[in-house]
Amino acid sequence: MTGPGMTGPTLAEICVVACAEAWRGDGAILAGPMGLIPALGARLAQLTFAPDLLVSDGEAGLLAPLLAPSGSGTVTEGWLPYRSVFTMVAAGRRHVMMGASQLDRFGNQNISCIGDWARPKAQLLGVRGAPGNSINHPVSYWLPRHSRRVLVERVDMACGIGYDRAAALGAPGNRFHEVRVVVTNLAVLDFRTPARTMRLRSVHPGVPVGDVLAATGFPLTVPDEVPVTRRPSAGELALIRDQLDPAARRERELR
Amino acid sequence: MTGTGTGIAMSLADVAGQLESGMTIGIGGWGSRRKPMALVRAILRSGVGDLTVVSYAGPDVGLLVAEGRVRRVVSGFSSLDSIALEPHFRQARQNGTIEFTELDEGMLHWGLLAAAHRLPFLPIRAGLGSDVMRVNSQLRTVRSPYADGEELAAMPALRLDVALIHLNRADRRGNGQYLGPDPYFDDLFCLAAERAFMSCEEVVPTERLLAAGPPQSLLINRAMVHGVVEAPGGAHFTSCVPDYPRDEEFQAEYAASAATPQAWQDFRARYLSGDEDSYRQAVRQFRGRPAAPARTGPP
């Protein structure tokens, strides 16, 4: 058990909370986390500051915003098979946090393939639901390895669309497009700049701004004062460690 | 067994015999979940090839691609779920041995819905602005004829010659029941197809269907399918809950078969050279269990 003498937060725990923050203020919409740390973040948000959030169990169930009486189990509050997920996507009642094999300064994301699409050097997942997600509702990204290989000048295949493509599409087609935040193992980034290009929003505790810039394959907008990503509260740490991920699988996602 | 007539019970080989090279076939399930794997293995035993396969793709597509039976894959992804990338699909793409129609998952859904409704296309927002429009040069947009004038992607109907699905229970007349958490799109695959064939874990008398699940678990009605095959373990090694979970150990064995051409030859010699009974027996040997007598065909 954790208690007053608990150890300080690990990087993975800071990232869980940074992911959770992406859904703050979203209300009763479906959180769509891809990856363990975003999934822990969505559940943490739901159990603390965002109780209205809908969270999937990874199959077709929805988890109620409470812990089972046993303390560590879950309570199912709803049913959401894939066909209903697609309807929630089109209805805009969702905010997804996807991964990215490549992400550019405008927030164009690639999870399909590396190299020429016709004969890729590396076939990856495929576009999945990224095109539909990015044109229908807010999307955020989780990058466990912030590097120049991932944060690139140009993506090989635009799956989730960024602000330049949304602008080219114009109104009214682009009215539901929003890339909210990018959480990495080094920092939190957003697109709150006049040209809607990527900006450093905060660095995780102990990470120098120079390290973030060096690991990014394009120029980042950097505010005069760069905030530090907030640390988990004692209550959040206890939830993460004792309830949501007692086996500490979160630490492996950053290796 | 009650009901009129003999129903539409078939064998795996009967279904494979209905397929022809060059056909477009749709395969139900999702990723590595409730895939009609016994029917896929039956295709491998037949001589059918040059297929266009429409699927939320998993090892169904992987096996067909590995055996060179596929000309084109139509999908939004290809995954084994617990192993992110389908290794044979990946290899085929990198070697340039298959064509690929890469669509957003929602576009695939819409293409099946359009085909099921006998519409030429359905408008959808998904795809706009993305490279899905670039790599599928046949895709067009359509403008709303109403005051909004919004331009949308016009997802063409994905018409299928044949659909293959696997459910938990069915009767011999073609009423099918899923008992797991998600129907996926199996009903749409059937309605989008000229002919649809359903395998199931167990064929039961019609009056026993509701003993296993509520009326809404009866996803498939007999107007949707043209043949029923009893195939216990027919989704193996994908999941078919609550009858069985994904066989993760065997899936890992399958994934390893993409490592070298020799590894694939070894895998197919060991698991795919005989009929479904010998497949089951080889899987039991892999799992270190003594071989039990195989169940026979439909009761």
Side-chain angles (χ1 to χ4, degrees), chain A residues 59-60 79 81-83 86 112 117 119 122-123 125-129 131-132 158 165 175, chain B residues 30 33 76-77 90 93-96 100 102-105 129 131 150 181-182 184-185 187:
Chain A
E59 295 282 341
W79 181 58
Y82 279 112
R83 57 186 66 197
F86 290 167
S112 168
W117 180 87
R119 178 85 185 264
Q123 173 66 41
L125 271 176
V127 295
R128 296 225 55 166
R165 283 171 174 263
R175 65 193 182 282
Chain B
W30 177 287
R33 305 176 204 185
F77 63 84
R90 187 171 204 222
R93 278 280 287 149
Q94 292 169 188
N95 293 338
F100 187 28
E102 184 168 10
L103 299 169
D104 172 271
E105 294 166 0
D131 275 339
E150 183 165 358
D182 201 317
Y184 309 118
F185 299 91
D187 48 345

mmCIF file of all heavy atoms in Angstrom, chain A residues 59-60 79 81-83 86 112 117 119 122-123 125-129 131-132 158 165 175, chain B residues 30 33 76-77 90 93-96 100 102-105 129 131 150 181-182 184-185 187:
data_model
loop_
_atom_site.group_PDB
_atom_site.id
_atom_site.type_symbol
_atom_site.label_atom_id
_atom_site.label_comp_id
_atom_site.label_asym_id
_atom_site.label_seq_id
_atom_site.Cartn_x
_atom_site.Cartn_y
_atom_site.Cartn_z
ATOM 1 N N GLU A 59 -12.949 -4.066 -24.717
ATOM 2 C CA GLU A 59 -13.790 -4.848 -25.629
ATOM 3 C C GLU A 59 -15.034 -4.007 -25.895
ATOM 4 O O GLU A 59 -14.887 -2.899 -26.375
ATOM 5 C CB GLU A 59 -14.123 -6.214 -25.013
ATOM 6 C CG GLU A 59 -12.893 -7.109 -24.828
ATOM 7 C CD GLU A 59 -12.421 -7.774 -26.131
ATOM 8 O OE1 GLU A 59 -13.215 -7.836 -27.080
ATOM 9 O OE2 GLU A 59 -11.262 -8.220 -26.177
ATOM 10 N N ALA A 60 -16.205 -4.525 -25.579
ATOM 11 C CA ALA A 60 -17.425 -3.781 -25.899
ATOM 12 C C ALA A 60 -18.120 -3.227 -24.652
ATOM 13 O O ALA A 60 -19.254 -2.786 -24.731
ATOM 14 C CB ALA A 60 -18.385 -4.667 -26.692
ATOM 15 N N TRP A 79 -22.761 -0.826 -22.856
ATOM 16 C CA TRP A 79 -22.337 -1.708 -23.952
ATOM 17 C C TRP A 79 -22.041 -0.855 -25.169
ATOM 18 O O TRP A 79 -22.870 -0.034 -25.570
ATOM 19 C CB TRP A 79 -23.471 -2.696 -24.260
ATOM 20 C CG TRP A 79 -23.170 -3.671 -25.352
ATOM 21 C CD1 TRP A 79 -22.135 -4.560 -25.400
ATOM 22 C CD2 TRP A 79 -23.925 -3.873 -26.552
ATOM 23 N NE1 TRP A 79 -22.198 -5.298 -26.553
ATOM 24 C CE2 TRP A 79 -23.284 -4.912 -27.285
ATOM 25 C CE3 TRP A 79 -25.071 -3.290 -27.087
ATOM 26 C CZ2 TRP A 79 -23.751 -5.359 -28.513
ATOM 27 C CZ3 TRP A 79 -25.544 -3.738 -28.314
ATOM 28 C CH2 TRP A 79 -24.895 -4.773 -29.012
ATOM 29 N N PRO A 81 -20.372 -1.843 -28.683
ATOM 30 C CA PRO A 81 -19.666 -2.620 -29.700
ATOM 31 C C PRO A 81 -19.112 -1.686 -30.770
ATOM 32 O O PRO A 81 -19.454 -0.502 -30.815
ATOM 33 C CB PRO A 81 -20.769 -3.524 -30.259
ATOM 34 C CG PRO A 81 -22.030 -2.749 -30.062
ATOM 35 C CD PRO A 81 -21.838 -1.977 -28.776
ATOM 36 N N TYR A 82 -18.268 -2.227 -31.647
ATOM 37 C CA TYR A 82 -17.597 -1.386 -32.656
ATOM 38 C C TYR A 82 -18.582 -0.554 -33.453
ATOM 39 O O TYR A 82 -18.325 0.608 -33.771
ATOM 40 C CB TYR A 82 -16.753 -2.252 -33.588
ATOM 41 C CG TYR A 82 -15.424 -2.624 -32.995
ATOM 42 C CD1 TYR A 82 -15.123 -3.934 -32.649
ATOM 43 C CD2 TYR A 82 -14.459 -1.649 -32.751
ATOM 44 C CE1 TYR A 82 -13.900 -4.271 -32.084
ATOM 45 C CE2 TYR A 82 -13.242 -1.970 -32.193
ATOM 46 C CZ TYR A 82 -12.959 -3.277 -31.870
ATOM 47 O OH TYR A 82 -11.754 -3.607 -31.304
ATOM 48 N N ARG A 83 -19.726 -1.149 -33.824
ATOM 49 C CA ARG A 83 -20.672 -0.401 -34.651
ATOM 50 C C ARG A 83 -21.143 0.860 -33.928
ATOM 51 O O ARG A 83 -21.349 1.897 -34.549
ATOM 52 C CB ARG A 83 -21.850 -1.282 -35.065
ATOM 53 C CG ARG A 83 -22.602 -1.892 -33.907
ATOM 54 C CD ARG A 83 -23.671 -2.864 -34.393
ATOM 55 N NE ARG A 83 -23.091 -4.047 -35.048
ATOM 56 C CZ ARG A 83 -23.768 -4.872 -35.840
ATOM 57 N NH1 ARG A 83 -25.043 -4.656 -36.074
ATOM 58 N NH2 ARG A 83 -23.184 -5.916 -36.380
ATOM 59 N N PHE A 86 -18.366 3.562 -33.915
ATOM 60 C CA PHE A 86 -18.330 4.341 -35.160
ATOM 61 C C PHE A 86 -19.400 5.427 -35.154
ATOM 62 O O PHE A 86 -19.184 6.521 -35.675
ATOM 63 C CB PHE A 86 -18.533 3.420 -36.373
ATOM 64 C CG PHE A 86 -17.371 2.503 -36.644
ATOM 65 C CD1 PHE A 86 -17.504 1.431 -37.520
ATOM 66 C CD2 PHE A 86 -16.143 2.694 -36.033
ATOM 67 C CE1 PHE A 86 -16.438 0.580 -37.780
ATOM 68 C CE2 PHE A 86 -15.065 1.853 -36.277
ATOM 69 C CZ PHE A 86 -15.221 0.794 -37.152
ATOM 70 N N SER A 112 0.319 4.157 -40.692
ATOM 71 C CA SER A 112 0.054 3.228 -41.786
ATOM 72 C C SER A 112 1.302 2.510 -42.268
ATOM 73 O O SER A 112 1.344 1.274 -42.297
ATOM 74 C CB SER A 112 -0.583 3.987 -42.949
ATOM 75 O OG SER A 112 -0.597 3.203 -44.119
ATOM 76 N N TRP A 117 4.060 4.498 -50.092
ATOM 77 C CA TRP A 117 2.871 3.702 -49.780
ATOM 78 C C TRP A 117 2.732 2.504 -50.733
ATOM 79 O O TRP A 117 2.315 1.421 -50.330
ATOM 80 C CB TRP A 117 1.604 4.570 -49.868
ATOM 81 C CG TRP A 117 0.355 3.804 -49.550
ATOM 82 C CD1 TRP A 117 -0.188 3.594 -48.323
ATOM 83 C CD2 TRP A 117 -0.480 3.105 -50.494
ATOM 84 N NE1 TRP A 117 -1.312 2.815 -48.428
ATOM 85 C CE2 TRP A 117 -1.517 2.496 -49.741
ATOM 86 C CE3 TRP A 117 -0.458 2.939 -51.882
ATOM 87 C CZ2 TRP A 117 -2.529 1.740 -50.338
ATOM 88 C CZ3 TRP A 117 -1.452 2.180 -52.474
ATOM 89 C CH2 TRP A 117 -2.478 1.592 -51.698
ATOM 90 N N ARG A 119 4.892 0.640 -52.075
ATOM 91 C CA ARG A 119 5.776 -0.477 -51.721
ATOM 92 C C ARG A 119 6.536 -0.062 -50.472
ATOM 93 O O ARG A 119 7.684 0.370 -50.543
ATOM 94 C CB ARG A 119 6.719 -0.772 -52.896
ATOM 95 C CG ARG A 119 7.727 -1.872 -52.661
ATOM 96 C CD ARG A 119 7.142 -3.253 -52.962
ATOM 97 N NE ARG A 119 8.097 -4.287 -52.606
ATOM 98 C CZ ARG A 119 8.946 -4.874 -53.463
ATOM 99 N NH1 ARG A 119 8.949 -4.525 -54.736
ATOM 100 N NH2 ARG A 119 9.773 -5.805 -53.044
ATOM 101 N N ALA A 122 8.360 -0.273 -44.481
ATOM 102 C CA ALA A 122 7.794 -0.956 -43.311
ATOM 103 C C ALA A 122 6.287 -0.760 -43.306
ATOM 104 O O ALA A 122 5.803 0.376 -43.231
ATOM 105 C CB ALA A 122 8.403 -0.416 -42.018
ATOM 106 N N GLN A 123 5.555 -1.850 -43.418
ATOM 107 C CA GLN A 123 4.099 -1.787 -43.263
ATOM 108 C C GLN A 123 3.796 -1.756 -41.764
ATOM 109 O O GLN A 123 4.260 -2.609 -41.018
ATOM 110 C CB GLN A 123 3.448 -3.011 -43.905
ATOM 111 C CG GLN A 123 1.944 -3.125 -43.665
ATOM 112 C CD GLN A 123 1.150 -2.006 -44.335
ATOM 113 O OE1 GLN A 123 1.435 -1.616 -45.457
ATOM 114 N NE2 GLN A 123 0.160 -1.477 -43.623
ATOM 115 N N LEU A 125 0.439 -0.448 -38.897
ATOM 116 C CA LEU A 125 -0.929 -0.893 -38.615
ATOM 117 C C LEU A 125 -1.900 -0.725 -39.771
ATOM 118 O O LEU A 125 -2.777 -1.535 -39.996
ATOM 119 C CB LEU A 125 -1.481 -0.093 -37.436
ATOM 120 C CG LEU A 125 -1.228 -0.632 -36.043
ATOM 121 C CD1 LEU A 125 -1.779 0.356 -35.020
ATOM 122 C CD2 LEU A 125 -1.878 -1.995 -35.855
ATOM 123 N N GLY A 126 -1.742 0.358 -40.521
ATOM 124 C CA GLY A 126 -2.807 0.794 -41.426
ATOM 125 C C GLY A 126 -3.478 2.033 -40.832
ATOM 126 O O GLY A 126 -3.263 2.352 -39.656
ATOM 127 N N VAL A 127 -4.301 2.693 -41.627
ATOM 128 C CA VAL A 127 -4.869 3.976 -41.168
ATOM 129 C C VAL A 127 -5.833 3.809 -39.995
ATOM 130 O O VAL A 127 -6.132 4.764 -39.287
ATOM 131 C CB VAL A 127 -5.601 4.736 -42.293
ATOM 132 C CG1 VAL A 127 -4.625 5.147 -43.381
ATOM 133 C CG2 VAL A 127 -6.754 3.937 -42.879
ATOM 134 N N ARG A 128 -6.338 2.584 -39.812
ATOM 135 C CA ARG A 128 -7.335 2.325 -38.754
ATOM 136 C C ARG A 128 -8.464 3.349 -38.843
ATOM 137 O O ARG A 128 -8.945 3.638 -39.918
ATOM 138 C CB ARG A 128 -6.650 2.327 -37.386
ATOM 139 C CG ARG A 128 -5.625 1.187 -37.267
ATOM 140 C CD ARG A 128 -5.717 0.460 -35.975
ATOM 141 N NE ARG A 128 -7.064 -0.041 -35.755
ATOM 142 C CZ ARG A 128 -7.393 -0.940 -34.836
ATOM 143 N NH1 ARG A 128 -6.453 -1.443 -34.060
ATOM 144 N NH2 ARG A 128 -8.615 -1.337 -34.688
ATOM 145 N N GLY A 129 -8.861 3.911 -37.697
ATOM 146 C CA GLY A 129 -9.935 4.909 -37.725
ATOM 147 C C GLY A 129 -9.427 6.332 -37.691
ATOM 148 O O GLY A 129 -10.205 7.265 -37.488
ATOM 149 N N PRO A 131 -8.368 8.622 -39.933
ATOM 150 C CA PRO A 131 -8.961 9.681 -40.758
ATOM 151 C C PRO A 131 -10.327 10.128 -40.220
ATOM 152 O O PRO A 131 -10.588 11.340 -40.114
ATOM 153 C CB PRO A 131 -9.090 9.015 -42.139
ATOM 154 C CG PRO A 131 -8.025 7.962 -42.149
ATOM 155 C CD PRO A 131 -8.002 7.438 -40.734
ATOM 156 N N GLY A 132 -11.160 9.166 -39.880
ATOM 157 C CA GLY A 132 -12.497 9.490 -39.375
ATOM 158 C C GLY A 132 -12.450 10.166 -38.013
ATOM 159 O O GLY A 132 -13.216 11.092 -37.744
ATOM 160 N N ALA A 158 -0.538 10.505 -44.426
ATOM 161 C CA ALA A 158 -1.350 11.255 -43.464
ATOM 162 C C ALA A 158 -2.609 10.461 -43.145
ATOM 163 O O ALA A 158 -3.496 10.318 -43.991
ATOM 164 C CB ALA A 158 -1.707 12.628 -44.016
ATOM 165 N N ARG A 165 -3.823 20.500 -43.332
ATOM 166 C CA ARG A 165 -4.782 19.785 -44.170
ATOM 167 C C ARG A 165 -6.223 20.196 -43.852
ATOM 168 O O ARG A 165 -7.067 20.299 -44.750
ATOM 169 C CB ARG A 165 -4.617 18.275 -43.998
ATOM 170 C CG ARG A 165 -3.406 17.743 -44.747
ATOM 171 C CD ARG A 165 -3.129 16.291 -44.394
ATOM 172 N NE ARG A 165 -2.049 15.759 -45.222
ATOM 173 C CZ ARG A 165 -2.232 15.043 -46.335
ATOM 174 N NH1 ARG A 165 -3.454 14.739 -46.742
ATOM 175 N NH2 ARG A 165 -1.212 14.613 -47.035
ATOM 176 N N ARG A 175 -14.986 21.687 -39.613
ATOM 177 C CA ARG A 175 -15.436 22.361 -38.390
ATOM 178 C C ARG A 175 -15.317 21.507 -37.134
ATOM 179 O O ARG A 175 -15.368 22.033 -36.023
ATOM 180 C CB ARG A 175 -16.870 22.859 -38.545
ATOM 181 C CG ARG A 175 -17.945 21.772 -38.718
ATOM 182 C CD ARG A 175 -19.254 22.419 -39.185
ATOM 183 N NE ARG A 175 -20.367 21.493 -39.343
ATOM 184 C CZ ARG A 175 -20.535 20.668 -40.376
ATOM 185 N NH1 ARG A 175 -19.626 20.586 -41.326
ATOM 186 N NH2 ARG A 175 -21.605 19.895 -40.450
ATOM 187 N N TRP B 30 -13.216 -9.540 -36.259
ATOM 188 C CA TRP B 30 -12.433 -8.292 -36.157
ATOM 189 C C TRP B 30 -11.038 -8.658 -35.677
ATOM 190 O O TRP B 30 -10.904 -9.256 -34.603
ATOM 191 C CB TRP B 30 -13.100 -7.336 -35.165
ATOM 192 C CG TRP B 30 -12.359 -6.062 -34.935
ATOM 193 C CD1 TRP B 30 -11.206 -5.897 -34.223
ATOM 194 C CD2 TRP B 30 -12.720 -4.750 -35.420
ATOM 195 N NE1 TRP B 30 -10.823 -4.571 -34.237
ATOM 196 C CE2 TRP B 30 -11.731 -3.849 -34.959
ATOM 197 C CE3 TRP B 30 -13.779 -4.262 -36.190
ATOM 198 C CZ2 TRP B 30 -11.780 -2.482 -35.244
ATOM 199 C CZ3 TRP B 30 -13.822 -2.898 -36.460
ATOM 200 C CH2 TRP B 30 -12.843 -2.018 -35.997
ATOM 201 N N ARG B 33 -10.303 -11.841 -33.605
ATOM 202 C CA ARG B 33 -11.482 -12.157 -32.802
ATOM 203 C C ARG B 33 -12.596 -12.765 -33.675
ATOM 204 O O ARG B 33 -12.997 -12.170 -34.662
ATOM 205 C CB ARG B 33 -12.036 -10.890 -32.144
ATOM 206 C CG ARG B 33 -10.985 -10.155 -31.328
ATOM 207 C CD ARG B 33 -11.535 -8.868 -30.783
ATOM 208 N NE ARG B 33 -10.439 -7.933 -30.517
ATOM 209 C CZ ARG B 33 -10.591 -6.737 -29.946
ATOM 210 N NH1 ARG B 33 -11.789 -6.332 -29.594
ATOM 211 N NH2 ARG B 33 -9.557 -5.950 -29.764
ATOM 212 N N GLY B 76 -8.761 -1.560 -43.248
ATOM 213 C CA GLY B 76 -8.197 -0.376 -42.606
ATOM 214 C C GLY B 76 -6.992 -0.704 -41.760
ATOM 215 O O GLY B 76 -6.288 0.181 -41.278
ATOM 216 N N PHE B 77 -6.775 -2.002 -41.550
ATOM 217 C CA PHE B 77 -5.652 -2.443 -40.726
ATOM 218 C C PHE B 77 -5.516 -3.936 -40.908
ATOM 219 O O PHE B 77 -6.375 -4.598 -41.499
ATOM 220 C CB PHE B 77 -5.872 -2.115 -39.240
ATOM 221 C CG PHE B 77 -7.062 -2.810 -38.636
ATOM 222 C CD1 PHE B 77 -6.959 -4.113 -38.155
ATOM 223 C CD2 PHE B 77 -8.288 -2.186 -38.566
ATOM 224 C CE1 PHE B 77 -8.050 -4.773 -37.623
ATOM 225 C CE2 PHE B 77 -9.395 -2.837 -38.022
ATOM 226 C CZ PHE B 77 -9.274 -4.134 -37.556
ATOM 227 N N ARG B 90 2.105 -7.934 -43.473
ATOM 228 C CA ARG B 90 3.189 -6.951 -43.458
ATOM 229 C C ARG B 90 4.246 -7.296 -44.518
ATOM 230 O O ARG B 90 4.671 -6.460 -45.307
ATOM 231 C CB ARG B 90 3.809 -6.970 -42.060
ATOM 232 C CG ARG B 90 4.814 -5.897 -41.847
ATOM 233 C CD ARG B 90 5.254 -5.808 -40.392
ATOM 234 N NE ARG B 90 5.732 -4.458 -40.175
ATOM 235 C CZ ARG B 90 6.815 -4.152 -39.473
ATOM 236 N NH1 ARG B 90 7.495 -5.085 -38.863
ATOM 237 N NH2 ARG B 90 7.199 -2.900 -39.352
ATOM 238 N N ARG B 93 2.998 -6.802 -48.107
ATOM 239 C CA ARG B 93 3.004 -5.396 -48.493
ATOM 240 C C ARG B 93 4.423 -4.940 -48.809
ATOM 241 O O ARG B 93 4.661 -4.245 -49.797
ATOM 242 C CB ARG B 93 2.418 -4.541 -47.361
ATOM 243 C CG ARG B 93 0.916 -4.506 -47.341
ATOM 244 C CD ARG B 93 0.373 -3.532 -48.376
ATOM 245 N NE ARG B 93 0.575 -2.141 -47.993
ATOM 246 C CZ ARG B 93 0.770 -1.144 -48.837
ATOM 247 N NH1 ARG B 93 0.812 -1.373 -50.138
ATOM 248 N NH2 ARG B 93 0.952 0.092 -48.406
ATOM 249 N N GLN B 94 5.359 -5.339 -47.971
ATOM 250 C CA GLN B 94 6.746 -4.889 -48.154
ATOM 251 C C GLN B 94 7.393 -5.539 -49.377
ATOM 252 O O GLN B 94 8.268 -4.950 -49.993
ATOM 253 C CB GLN B 94 7.551 -5.155 -46.876
ATOM 254 C CG GLN B 94 7.097 -4.268 -45.722
ATOM 255 C CD GLN B 94 7.648 -4.621 -44.357
ATOM 256 O OE1 GLN B 94 7.216 -4.046 -43.371
ATOM 257 N NE2 GLN B 94 8.573 -5.559 -44.280
ATOM 258 N N ASN B 95 6.928 -6.748 -49.722
ATOM 259 C CA ASN B 95 7.445 -7.417 -50.908
ATOM 260 C C ASN B 95 6.666 -7.050 -52.160
ATOM 261 O O ASN B 95 7.005 -7.502 -53.259
ATOM 262 C CB ASN B 95 7.399 -8.942 -50.724
ATOM 263 C CG ASN B 95 8.366 -9.401 -49.644
ATOM 264 O OD1 ASN B 95 9.325 -8.701 -49.327
ATOM 265 N ND2 ASN B 95 8.107 -10.564 -49.071
ATOM 266 N N GLY B 96 5.597 -6.291 -52.005
ATOM 267 C CA GLY B 96 4.807 -5.875 -53.154
ATOM 268 C C GLY B 96 4.053 -7.009 -53.824
ATOM 269 O O GLY B 96 3.771 -6.949 -55.012
ATOM 270 N N PHE B 100 -3.549 -3.280 -52.333
ATOM 271 C CA PHE B 100 -4.153 -2.891 -51.061
ATOM 272 C C PHE B 100 -5.098 -1.723 -51.299
ATOM 273 O O PHE B 100 -4.705 -0.718 -51.899
ATOM 274 C CB PHE B 100 -3.036 -2.497 -50.082
ATOM 275 C CG PHE B 100 -3.479 -2.230 -48.662
ATOM 276 C CD1 PHE B 100 -4.602 -2.831 -48.116
ATOM 277 C CD2 PHE B 100 -2.726 -1.391 -47.851
ATOM 278 C CE1 PHE B 100 -4.986 -2.591 -46.803
ATOM 279 C CE2 PHE B 100 -3.103 -1.149 -46.529
ATOM 280 C CZ PHE B 100 -4.222 -1.747 -46.011
ATOM 281 N N GLU B 102 -6.667 0.694 -48.957
ATOM 282 C CA GLU B 102 -6.557 1.065 -47.546
ATOM 283 C C GLU B 102 -7.611 2.103 -47.214
ATOM 284 O O GLU B 102 -7.588 3.215 -47.733
ATOM 285 C CB GLU B 102 -5.155 1.604 -47.240
ATOM 286 C CG GLU B 102 -4.959 1.900 -45.761
ATOM 287 C CD GLU B 102 -3.507 2.157 -45.382
ATOM 288 O OE1 GLU B 102 -2.668 2.299 -46.281
ATOM 289 O OE2 GLU B 102 -3.231 2.212 -44.167
ATOM 290 N N LEU B 103 -8.537 1.719 -46.362
ATOM 291 C CA LEU B 103 -9.678 2.564 -46.012
ATOM 292 C C LEU B 103 -9.739 2.796 -44.512
ATOM 293 O O LEU B 103 -9.330 1.942 -43.722
ATOM 294 C CB LEU B 103 -10.985 1.879 -46.440
ATOM 295 C CG LEU B 103 -11.163 1.598 -47.925
ATOM 296 C CD1 LEU B 103 -12.369 0.682 -48.137
ATOM 297 C CD2 LEU B 103 -11.335 2.905 -48.695
ATOM 298 N N ASP B 104 -10.280 3.936 -44.129
ATOM 299 C CA ASP B 104 -10.644 4.165 -42.739
ATOM 300 C C ASP B 104 -11.650 3.089 -42.307
ATOM 301 O O ASP B 104 -12.491 2.660 -43.101
ATOM 302 C CB ASP B 104 -11.263 5.561 -42.618
ATOM 303 C CG ASP B 104 -11.846 5.836 -41.248
ATOM 304 O OD1 ASP B 104 -13.044 5.528 -41.043
ATOM 305 O OD2 ASP B 104 -11.113 6.356 -40.402
ATOM 306 N N GLU B 105 -11.555 2.643 -41.044
ATOM 307 C CA GLU B 105 -12.453 1.591 -40.536
ATOM 308 C C GLU B 105 -13.924 1.957 -40.730
ATOM 309 O O GLU B 105 -14.762 1.101 -41.033
ATOM 310 C CB GLU B 105 -12.215 1.384 -39.038
ATOM 311 C CG GLU B 105 -10.856 0.828 -38.698
ATOM 312 C CD GLU B 105 -10.544 0.973 -37.213
ATOM 313 O OE1 GLU B 105 -11.389 1.510 -36.458
ATOM 314 O OE2 GLU B 105 -9.452 0.558 -36.803
ATOM 315 N N GLY B 129 -9.437 14.949 -46.482
ATOM 316 C CA GLY B 129 -8.205 15.597 -46.049
ATOM 317 C C GLY B 129 -7.060 14.639 -45.800
ATOM 318 O O GLY B 129 -5.909 15.059 -45.684
ATOM 319 N N ASP B 131 -4.645 11.010 -46.519
ATOM 320 C CA ASP B 131 -4.037 10.351 -47.674
ATOM 321 C C ASP B 131 -4.812 9.111 -48.130
ATOM 322 O O ASP B 131 -4.442 8.508 -49.143
ATOM 323 C CB ASP B 131 -2.581 9.981 -47.371
ATOM 324 C CG ASP B 131 -1.633 11.146 -47.628
ATOM 325 O OD1 ASP B 131 -2.011 12.055 -48.390
ATOM 326 O OD2 ASP B 131 -0.528 11.156 -47.059
ATOM 327 N N GLU B 150 -22.395 20.830 -48.149
ATOM 328 C CA GLU B 150 -21.152 20.228 -47.630
ATOM 329 C C GLU B 150 -20.627 19.142 -48.572
ATOM 330 O O GLU B 150 -21.399 18.331 -49.103
ATOM 331 C CB GLU B 150 -21.397 19.635 -46.230
ATOM 332 C CG GLU B 150 -20.125 19.065 -45.609
ATOM 333 C CD GLU B 150 -20.260 18.806 -44.122
ATOM 334 O OE1 GLU B 150 -21.338 19.104 -43.543
ATOM 335 O OE2 GLU B 150 -19.278 18.302 -43.533
ATOM 336 N N PRO B 181 -19.050 -10.447 -26.552
ATOM 337 C CA PRO B 181 -19.455 -9.056 -26.279
ATOM 338 C C PRO B 181 -19.800 -8.247 -27.527
ATOM 339 O O PRO B 181 -20.469 -7.229 -27.407
ATOM 340 C CB PRO B 181 -18.219 -8.472 -25.583
ATOM 341 C CG PRO B 181 -17.068 -9.285 -26.081
ATOM 342 C CD PRO B 181 -17.610 -10.674 -26.297
ATOM 343 N N ASP B 182 -19.350 -8.660 -28.716
ATOM 344 C CA ASP B 182 -19.474 -7.764 -29.870
ATOM 345 C C ASP B 182 -19.945 -8.533 -31.104
ATOM 346 O O ASP B 182 -19.368 -9.563 -31.445
ATOM 347 C CB ASP B 182 -18.103 -7.100 -30.144
ATOM 348 C CG ASP B 182 -18.219 -5.813 -30.956
ATOM 349 O OD1 ASP B 182 -18.995 -5.801 -31.936
ATOM 350 O OD2 ASP B 182 -17.537 -4.832 -30.629
ATOM 351 N N TYR B 184 -19.527 -7.461 -33.993
ATOM 352 C CA TYR B 184 -18.692 -6.959 -35.098
ATOM 353 C C TYR B 184 -19.617 -6.563 -36.242
ATOM 354 O O TYR B 184 -20.646 -5.933 -35.996
ATOM 355 C CB TYR B 184 -17.610 -7.975 -35.467
ATOM 356 C CG TYR B 184 -16.833 -8.440 -34.252
ATOM 357 C CD1 TYR B 184 -16.819 -9.773 -33.838
ATOM 358 C CD2 TYR B 184 -16.169 -7.498 -33.461
ATOM 359 C CE1 TYR B 184 -16.142 -10.160 -32.680
ATOM 360 C CE2 TYR B 184 -15.492 -7.890 -32.309
ATOM 361 C CZ TYR B 184 -15.493 -9.215 -31.924
ATOM 362 O OH TYR B 184 -14.854 -9.597 -30.775
ATOM 363 N N PHE B 185 -19.321 -6.948 -37.496
ATOM 364 C CA PHE B 185 -20.172 -6.515 -38.608
ATOM 365 C C PHE B 185 -20.662 -7.713 -39.410
ATOM 366 O O PHE B 185 -20.896 -7.615 -40.611
ATOM 367 C CB PHE B 185 -19.403 -5.496 -39.460
ATOM 368 C CG PHE B 185 -19.038 -4.276 -38.660
ATOM 369 C CD1 PHE B 185 -17.829 -4.206 -37.974
ATOM 370 C CD2 PHE B 185 -19.939 -3.233 -38.520
ATOM 371 C CE1 PHE B 185 -17.518 -3.101 -37.189
ATOM 372 C CE2 PHE B 185 -19.637 -2.122 -37.734
ATOM 373 C CZ PHE B 185 -18.422 -2.061 -37.068
ATOM 374 N N ASP B 187 -23.414 -9.402 -39.635
ATOM 375 C CA ASP B 187 -24.697 -9.314 -40.339
ATOM 376 C C ASP B 187 -24.570 -8.483 -41.610
ATOM 377 O O ASP B 187 -25.122 -8.822 -42.664
ATOM 378 C CB ASP B 187 -25.794 -8.744 -39.410
ATOM 379 C CG ASP B 187 -25.353 -7.490 -38.665
ATOM 380 O OD1 ASP B 187 -24.133 -7.209 -38.625
ATOM 381 O OD2 ASP B 187 -26.223 -6.792 -38.118
#
